[in-house]
Amino acid sequence: AVFGRRFNSCGYMYIEDKSGGIHQPEIDYDYGVKEADQLIKNGGTFHFYDDQTDNYVQKNYHLLVNHTFTPQWRLNAGLHYTTGDGYYQEYKIGRKLVEYGMKPYEVSGENVTKSDLVRKKAMDNWFGGGIFSVSYTNDRLNASLGGGLNRYDGDHFGKVLWVKNYLGQLNPDNDYYRNNATKNDGNIYLKANYELGGGVSAYADLQYRHITYKMHGRNDKWNDDTNALQTLHIEDKFDFFNPKAGLFWQINTNNRLYGSFSVAHKEPTRNNYTDGKLTEHPKAERLFDYELGYTFANSWLNLGANLYYMDYKNQLVLTGEKNEIGEAVAANVPDSYRMGIELMAGLKLNCGFQWDINATFSRNRVENFSETLYEWEDPTTEAWKIDRGNTPISFSPDFILNNRFSYTYRGFEAALQSQYVSKQYMTNAKRDDQILDAYFVSNLNLAYTFKLPRMKSVIVGCTIYNLFNETYENNGFAGSGYSLNDAGEKERYSYATYAAQAGTNVLGHISLSF
């Protein structure tokens, strides 16, 4: 808030005071913000790196085959191949040279171990494979057998392009880290829906997945134990059986009741391996999902309610922390759950007015959460464990409401969409000083559709986002650690950083259909 809600620290290099002096306050911390604020008030100017950039290019290729053998039997198959490459180029302040494969140097008898630098973190990957399904349909049965086999192969590497006042030899083409990850993912499933009679139908879905994950090379994360970049040597295998089953009862034309049970598993992502603490190895998630629902629908009104209970083992939940490039970090918690009720309603009148509303009331908890703090957040120091009991899962609001009013007349449409999100804790420790406040935000969309020669339709319109200029934050990051006071006692500290969202802004759009 000191520098305004539009301030972005990406590419920050230094502040130049009105006399030409150069200052580099650490604006990630309160004391740095205060110093920077005073410099700006005294006539100072922020300077940013002009080539701070984020680039990614992706190319997709698909070959699809659909064939109908008989009215009952059909085949769907496809091959896909995707290539991608991109990079971040960033200005970093006061980085340790040894972490970038460079030796310290001396200037005027002083040993320089840190310097500003420009780094480029890049990736080069491809993803390819095939999928298929064979389906059978008759009066009472819909069934399909399918599966797929896919492979991902990705390189991650980094280069140092420039170092401030560096006296050694710098080769921007050298990698200071490089690692390769491969993932093979095969699955096969059999699912069917069968009408039992009396408006009752049953469905079942059985899936088996086999995954092999390998990652080798040097990571960009420093390991103080080895005094070198972290070495990745990961070879994991996962075998998942994911069954689903449910019953549907079409009571009459307007009323429907359903219930289901499913088991799902999810393997860790690459970031879960590379961004977690060096002493922790991520585990796969397991979910038991129970649902019971009811819907009502006629020509002008629809209503629905869905009760759910999601029981997790080793759920990967956000910790509130960010990695080096600003991505959210997640870690396993042994036991957790999400439970609640989803409500929905819709009203559609012949005059062109429509009202749609849905809400979720939920309770999302980590069971028996144990918080681990380190001195100045250095995982090589003594761990301080604090048992918190059952705590809210981070970034999981207990109440969400979505509302939409729309009106159409001939080619004109106006729609007002609003969302309310209750408060969210930014970590799993239930700290009142690490909260995203509740917010309510609305967007207005106006559009007109007409026809032109040789065109199906033309849609011209605009969307006014954050119509009422709400001041809010919907994301951020937070963390905690401890320091030792003069008596050698541990004292906790916490911090939180918020992603301020834009005020009222307008986007115009045009859509052409041929």
Side-chain angles (χ1 to χ4, degrees), residues 379-417:
T380 63
T381 60
E382 180 186 355
W384 179 18
K385 293 187 178 294
I386 306 173
D387 292 329
R388 295 290 182 187
N390 292 0
T391 61
I393 297 176
S394 63
F395 299 97
S396 300
D398 288 342
F399 178 62
I400 299 175
L401 174 71
N402 290 287
N403 188 81
R404 187 176 187 270
F405 295 114
S406 65
Y407 177 74
T408 57
Y409 179 74
R410 296 183 178 177
F412 173 75
E413 180 183 12
L416 177 65
Q417 181 269 329

Side-chain angles (χ1 to χ4, degrees), residues 94-107:
R95 309 300 290 192
K96 294 179 181 179
L97 297 176
V98 67
E99 295 185 9
Y100 293 85
M102 293 176 289
K103 296 181 180 179
Y105 59 95
E106 285 193 7
V107 175

Side-chain angles (χ1 to χ4, degrees), residues 60-299:
N60 299 276
Y61 307 89
H62 299 272
L63 177 63
L64 303 176
V65 176
N66 300 304
H67 182 71
T68 300
F69 297 100
T70 69
Q72 290 79 31
W73 290 93
R74 294 194 60 182
L75 168 69
N76 296 295
L79 298 174
H80 64 89
Y81 182 72
T82 300
T83 61
D85 65 83
Y87 67 92
Y88 303 93
Q89 189 164 304
E90 307 170 298
Y91 190 98
K92 307 300 289 185
I93 297 175
R95 309 300 290 192
K96 294 179 181 179
L97 297 176
V98 67
E99 295 185 9
Y100 293 85
M102 293 176 289
K103 296 181 180 179
Y105 59 95
E106 285 193 7
V107 175
S108 301
E110 180 182 354
N111 189 38
V112 179
T113 60
K114 295 182 179 181
S115 184
D116 295 1
L117 55 84
V118 174
R119 72 182 185 191
K120 179 179 179 180
K121 302 179 74 172
M123 63 188 306
D124 184 1
N125 55 51
W126 64 266
F127 176 65
I131 58 173
F132 81 96
S133 68
V134 178
S135 60
Y136 172 79
T137 304
N138 64 24
D139 293 339
R140 303 180 69 176
L141 175 67
N142 292 315
S144 62
L145 172 69
L149 184 62
N150 304 291
R151 179 178 173 85
Y152 167 86
D153 190 313
D155 291 314
H156 289 74
F157 51 96
K159 303 176 185 295
V160 177
L161 307 183
W162 171 85
V163 181
K164 182 179 179 181
N165 298 328
Y166 190 57
L167 297 181
Q169 186 175 1
L170 181 66
N171 186 349
D173 292 328
N174 283 348
D175 298 332
Y176 72 90
Y177 79 93
R178 178 180 284 269
N179 59 76
N180 173 264
T182 60
K183 179 181 179 181
N184 297 315
D185 184 349
N187 74 89
I188 189 167
Y189 65 84
L190 175 63
K191 61 181 179 181
N193 185 84
Y194 186 74
E195 294 185 15
L196 300 173
V200 179
S201 61
Y203 84 90
D205 183 348
L206 306 176
Q207 184 204 52
Y208 168 75
R209 282 184 72 203
H210 176 73
I211 301 160
T212 60
Y213 210 144
K214 296 181 180 180
M215 194 180 306
H216 298 279
R218 283 183 299 170
N219 194 16
D220 61 340
K221 194 172 185 179
W222 188 257
N223 188 341
D224 287 317
D225 291 338
T226 61
N227 202 33
L229 290 174
Q230 177 190 12
T231 298
L232 296 174
H233 183 68
I234 296 166
E235 294 190 2
D236 272 355
K237 293 182 180 180
F238 301 96
D239 289 279
F240 298 144
F241 177 57
N242 299 319
K244 301 177 184 178
L247 287 172
F248 294 88
W249 181 21
Q250 191 72 44
I251 303 171
N252 53 39
T253 304
N254 305 120
N255 297 278
R256 188 188 193 203
L257 187 67
Y258 62 88
S260 67
F261 169 74
S262 63
V263 180
H265 296 83
K266 182 177 180 296
E267 70 280 5
T269 66
R270 179 187 180 278
N271 284 0
N272 297 144
Y273 286 106
T274 59
D275 293 339
K277 293 180 173 60
L278 300 181
T279 56
E280 297 177 0
H281 191 80
K283 304 179 182 68
E285 298 177 310
R286 187 207 66 195
L287 165 65
F288 289 165
D289 181 34
Y290 309 82
E291 300 199 22
L292 179 65
Y294 165 79
T295 60
F296 169 87
N298 62 20
S299 61

Side-chain angles (χ1 to χ4, degrees), residues 259-483:
S260 67
F261 169 74
S262 63
V263 180
H265 296 83
K266 182 177 180 296
E267 70 280 5
T269 66
R270 179 187 180 278
N271 284 0
N272 297 144
Y273 286 106
T274 59
D275 293 339
K277 293 180 173 60
L278 300 181
T279 56
E280 297 177 0
H281 191 80
K283 304 179 182 68
E285 298 177 310
R286 187 207 66 195
L287 165 65
F288 289 165
D289 181 34
Y290 309 82
E291 300 199 22
L292 179 65
Y294 165 79
T295 60
F296 169 87
N298 62 20
S299 61
W300 60 276
L301 176 67
N302 65 80
L303 303 168
N306 184 66
L307 289 163
Y308 66 90
Y309 179 76
M310 306 170 73
D311 182 16
Y312 288 91
K313 188 69 176 178
N314 294 321
Q315 183 181 182
L316 284 159
V317 300
L318 299 179
T319 66
E321 302 162 298
K322 299 288 184 180
N323 67 9
E324 276 271 313
I325 56 176
E327 297 174 313
V329 174
N332 294 110
V333 292
D335 298 293
S336 59
Y337 65 87
R338 299 176 186 270
M339 63 181 296
I341 182 171
E342 299 167 318
L343 302 173
M344 53 162 280
L347 176 68
K348 188 175 183 179
L349 303 181
N350 292 331
C351 64
F353 174 77
Q354 185 168 337
W355 178 23
D356 296 291
I357 185 170
N358 62 75
T360 301
F361 298 85
S362 63
R363 179 179 175 86
N364 314 286
R365 296 293 185 267
V366 179
E367 299 182 76
N368 303 313
F369 178 67
S370 179
E371 183 184 24
T372 303
L373 304 180
Y374 298 94
E375 185 176 6
W376 300 114
E377 298 176 84
D378 180 356
T380 63
T381 60
E382 180 186 355
W384 179 18
K385 293 187 178 294
I386 306 173
D387 292 329
R388 295 290 182 187
N390 292 0
T391 61
I393 297 176
S394 63
F395 299 97
S396 300
D398 288 342
F399 178 62
I400 299 175
L401 174 71
N402 290 287
N403 188 81
R404 187 176 187 270
F405 295 114
S406 65
Y407 177 74
T408 57
Y409 179 74
R410 296 183 178 177
F412 173 75
E413 180 183 12
L416 177 65
Q417 181 269 329
S418 302
Q419 183 182 58
Y420 174 83
V421 178
S422 66
K423 74 175 183 180
Q424 305 169 63
Y425 289 95
M426 298 168 69
T427 73
N428 298 290
K430 196 182 179 181
R431 296 282 302 180
D432 290 336
D433 54 355
Q434 296 173 324
I435 285 179
L436 290 173
D437 290 333
Y439 62 87
F440 178 82
V441 64
S442 298
N443 306 316
L444 177 64
N445 184 66
L446 303 171
Y448 183 70
T449 303
F450 57 95
K451 292 184 178 181
L452 290 177
R454 299 182 181 180
M455 301 186 69
K456 291 182 179 179
S457 66
V458 179
I459 302 175
V460 178
C462 69
T463 302
I464 306 172
Y465 293 98
N466 198 356
L467 179 65
F468 303 113
N469 202 30
E470 173 81 358
T471 300
Y472 73 104
E473 303 81 34
N474 68 355
N475 209 335
F477 65 92
S480 300
Y482 72 84
S483 60

